[in-house]
Amino acid sequence: MIEFFTEPWTHVFMQRAFLVVLMSGIVCGVIGTHVALRGMAFIGDAVAHSVFPGIAIAFVLKTSLVLGGIVAGLITALSVAVFSQNRRLKEDTVIGVFFAAAFGLGIVVMSTAPGYGGSLESFLFGSVLGIGNADVVTVAIAGAVLLLITGALHKEFVTVGLDRETARSVGLPIFWLDLAMYAMVTVSIVISIQAVGNILVLALLITPAACARLLTDRIGVMMLIAPVIGAFSGLTGLYLSYAFNLAAGGLIVLTATAVFIACWVFAPRHGLLSRRTSRATAVVSANP
């Protein structure tokens, strides 16, 4: 039993993988809490697609995929924030236009590179076991910066997330806060793509936050629970991947989903069993 936990750490590539999934889980848990509170799940999906052209260009030019994805995501996020100011267009409409265009551009760029099929598969489904030392450092630095910014702007983000009109009335810069949130979602997704892939990265951003939402009503507690669940899902999925020789990204997401289902059923106040018990108690009290 002890070997199950210790053996993977004897391999350098597994050590790097553990560090990246741990950092990704923590960062996505924290950022994902704000995403869930603001109902921005679709934005997370859009950003996951919008980073594709940057990663594709970086792959063709043989530069950092992480930096390429961040640049592309930030450009798309800025475009969405600007074009959404036109009140004739809803935000989700603008997002749909830009993320589809970005993903199409990425496919065109990637098709110019020889052997792009394997690289495209790696991007879509993750390649956490092939992460290098430079990527670990990049993820660590980007993750630390994200957590610092989140802490500095926590009150502002919460105010905008709960009531945009109140935030606007007290003079908060809604546009710049939205842009900052888009940028932070972009960076958190880019640093997590190598762990779970473009298709599954939204789950790492949303599912731990959804679990935390079921477990507590306090935002501060949510922001502690969500990263713990994200980190646990990443580490557990990676262990299972090593033990059974299965896809790491898929197992990380399935682990997070299993935790979500457990929370949905057993959460103390908002779980299925708790709600049924409360209703049964209410019926008994109403009919003594």
Side-chain angles (χ1 to χ4, degrees), residues 196 200 203-204 207-208 211 228-241 244 247-263:
V196 295
L200 301 176
L204 197 59
T207 306
C211 295
V228 170
I229 294 175
F232 169 80
S233 301
L235 295 177
T236 302
L238 203 53
Y239 268 114
L240 294 174
S241 171
F244 300 105
L251 286 173
I252 291 172
V253 171
L254 289 177
T255 301
T257 304
V259 175
F260 171 78
I261 293 173
C263 293

Side-chain angles (χ1 to χ4, degrees), residues 155-174 177:
K155 292 182 179 179
E156 289 79 2
F157 283 146
V158 170
T159 302
V160 174
L162 295 178
D163 192 336
R164 293 179 68 85
E165 294 306 317
T166 297
R168 184 175 284 107
S169 66
V170 298
L172 290 180
I174 303 297
L177 288 171

